[in-house]
Amino acid sequence: MSAGELNTVFQGLGTTVFTVMSGLAVEHEAINLGQGFPDTDGPEEIRAEAARRVVEGPNQYPPMQGVPELRQAVADHDRRFYGLEYDWQSEVVVTSGATEALADCLMALLNPGDEAILIEPFYDCYLPIIEQTGAKVRVISLAPPDWSFTRQDLEAVFSDKTKLIVLNTPMNPAGKIFTRDELALIAEFLERHDAYAVCDEVYEHLTFDGLKHLPLANLPGMRERCLRIGSAGKTFSLTGWKVGYISGPASLMAVIAKAHQFITFTTVPALQYAVALGLNQSDDYYQGLANELERKRDHLRSTLEGIGLPVLPCDGTYFLTADIAKFGFNGSDYDFCKHITANAKVAAVPMSVFYHPETNDAPNSLIRFCFCKKDEVMTEAADRLERFFAKG
Ligand code: PMP
Ligand code: GLN
């Protein structure tokens, strides 16, 4: 059988940058500030609940849309944090991670010939999933340091074929939280073109400096057009669990549930019960998580600035971006990340991989560091970077 017979989207793809850089980090015994995952597991109470449920059951197929306890907890969470009202029975679906949630939403909404808008830099899984549906991707390209856009930028990509926009806020890799004004502009275009928004809000609770996440669904008229995606991986520092959730209007959720039923059908029941317990944690838990990450961001920022690397603003997420232009490195940002992984023994991720392959002016001197690691690990990473860059 020749490779030509395989799927045209997937056979052409490389391995994700996260997998590549994590592999290199292991190979070179580097501290892995590339792939975004914490090195401490989330609350013991939540993990203990998962363990108890595995032992005591139930361990058979749970309800297709998710166990009632978790769907209720998601609806309660959305009301508590954003004042958004969703009916837990018809407007919430539990998925195996936000990645599956994204696939469910995009497959349920898109037809061949539709257009889907991505805001670049964008998280890696959006593009292949959209391409697999046969829809065409239109790109709004944002530039540092404020990663903002204008009315003209939206006019250039919205058309009568626009079916949806994917909006990731707080945004990976840029660390940006979209402002109310920016959201209002997007809302205006969604109304005008009768389009939807797939809102990737996995970093909703990882926000800093007193800034709060604002879902697009909160803007007037937007609840009916938005699908809100969350992830227990980020909210409870349990990225390996792959438990996600979608909230949205019943008319859309009914079709999204059809996609979900043939992609994974269900998600591990024990983890669902444990995440339900998690979502009901007190405000102290949520604030504590954000405060802790803010402190880690500040630590990494002072390290990078200390070695002369300018950093971009970071309002949320796990990620801080540094500008390496002044080193005049002879190679791409990807080469630079491989270079410091092998030689400084600290891994990072290049910004250019978050751009569409056809974008000509993707940045080549920005690299993303992940800061959700133990203090001693961040201190060791700081020492290694300081030693390496002091050598010139
Ligand atoms: N969206 C973004 C922006 C992410 O950074 C991630 C991180 N993994 C995901 C979606 C996927 O989340 P999950 O691990 O729950 O599938
Ligand atoms: N979201 C994580 C990141 O941006 C990676 C998740 C993954 O490896 N799929 O680093």
Side-chain angles (χ1 to χ4, degrees):
M1 193 169 68
S2 83
E5 293 164 26
L6 303 183
N7 178 272
T8 49
V9 172
F10 290 100
Q11 75 170 1
L13 290 178
T15 304
T16 85
V17 67
F18 311 115
T19 303
V20 171
M21 292 313 301
S22 287
L24 282 178
V26 171
E27 184 186 324
H28 293 287
E29 296 180 355
I31 294 175
N32 189 357
L33 306 187
Q35 189 177 30
F37 62 92
D39 61 356
T40 42
D41 289 339
E44 185 169 346
E45 187 191 348
I46 300 176
R47 289 182 283 130
E49 176 67 359
R52 183 178 77 81
R53 292 284 187 166
V54 167
V55 173
E56 294 176 15
N59 285 295
Q60 307 309 324
Y61 295 130
M64 183 268 281
Q65 302 99 318
V67 301
E69 287 81 350
L70 179 51
R71 282 186 283 155
Q72 283 161 358
V74 170
D76 290 348
H77 164 278
D78 290 357
R79 185 181 312 109
R80 167 180 166 195
F81 287 100
Y82 311 118
L84 287 166
E85 293 290 341
Y86 293 105
D87 170 44
W88 70 268
Q89 303 205 58
S90 59
E91 302 195 308
V92 176
V93 168
V94 175
T95 60
S96 294
T99 310
E100 190 220 316
L102 285 156
D104 294 345
C105 292
L106 295 168
M107 291 172 79
L109 264 56
L110 291 168
N111 281 311
D114 286 343
E115 291 184 1
I117 298 173
L118 292 182
I119 302 177
E120 75 180 357
F122 53 79
Y123 184 59
D124 64 347
C125 76
Y126 305 155
L127 183 63
I129 301 173
I130 294 172
E131 287 182 334
Q132 180 57 24
T133 68
K136 183 171 183 294
V137 169
R138 306 288 304 269
V139 174
I140 305 173
S141 198
L142 307 187
D146 60 345
W147 308 102
S148 195
F149 55 83
T150 61
R151 174 176 293 278
Q152 288 69 34
D153 293 330
L154 296 191
E155 255 149 24
V157 290
F158 272 88
S159 80
D160 56 5
K161 296 206 179 99
T162 305
K163 175 63 74 64
L164 60 85
I165 187 167
V166 180
L167 178 69
N168 175 213
T169 181
M171 186 188 187
N172 177 13
K176 174 192 171 81
I177 295 178
F178 284 85
T179 64
R180 184 177 284 274
D181 285 350
E182 289 167 329
L183 297 182
L185 201 51
I186 292 175
E188 183 190 320
F189 277 75
L190 293 179
E191 293 274 15
R192 189 190 304 166
H193 293 273
D194 193 17
Y196 301 105
V198 174
C199 301
D200 180 344
E201 303 184 0
V202 300
Y203 297 103
E204 60 189 321
H205 293 293
L206 315 188
T207 66
F208 314 137
D209 307 320
L211 291 167
K212 291 281 171 229
H213 166 63
L214 174 63
L216 179 61
N218 270 99
L219 273 74
M222 284 298 108
R223 183 196 179 282
E224 301 312 307
R225 296 188 182 277
C226 288
L227 296 157
R228 230 186 67 70
I229 297 175
S231 169
K234 316 291 180 222
T235 299
F236 303 108
S237 307
L238 295 163
T239 60
W241 279 23
K242 300 295 284 188
V243 178
Y245 19 86
I246 315 169
S247 331
S251 54
L252 301 184
M253 294 307 292
V255 186
I256 287 165
K258 302 283 168 53
H260 166 69
Q261 75 180 349
F262 291 131
I263 295 180
T264 57
F265 184 54
T266 56
T267 297
V268 185
L271 301 185
Q272 293 195 48
Y273 290 111
V275 170
L277 186 77
L279 285 172
N280 293 324
Q281 298 279 309
S282 70
D283 290 351
D284 287 353
Y285 168 74
Y286 289 95
Q287 196 52 53
L289 176 70
N291 292 348
E292 181 70 0
L293 284 166
E294 179 178 324
R295 200 176 54 72
K296 290 177 187 296
R297 176 205 62 178
D298 292 347
H299 182 194
L300 178 62
R301 184 167 58 194
S302 60
T303 300
L304 295 172
E305 287 175 345
I307 55 181
L309 281 179
V311 297
L312 296 179
C314 167
D315 298 335
T317 75
Y318 288 150
F319 310 114
L320 191 58
T321 298
D323 191 339
I324 52 159
K326 67 176 265 200
F327 291 109
F329 181 74
N330 186 15
S332 68
D333 55 352
Y334 212 151
D335 295 334
F336 189 87
C337 288
K338 290 178 181 161
H339 176 66
I340 59 171
T341 305
N343 299 299
K345 307 279 182 207
V346 177
V349 161
M351 179 67 81
S352 60
V353 299
F354 298 92
Y355 282 71
H356 192 284
E358 285 166 18
T359 296
N360 294 323
D361 51 359
N364 195 30
S365 70
L366 299 180
I367 62 174
R368 190 197 82 173
F369 290 95
C370 170
F371 50 77
C372 55
K373 306 291 178 188
K374 290 189 194 94
D375 287 349
E376 59 269 31
V377 173
M378 292 309 295
T379 301
E380 173 61 20
D383 290 348
R384 291 183 187 189
L385 289 169
E386 275 157 12
R387 277 199 302 275
F388 180 75
F389 286 103
K391 277 192 281 172

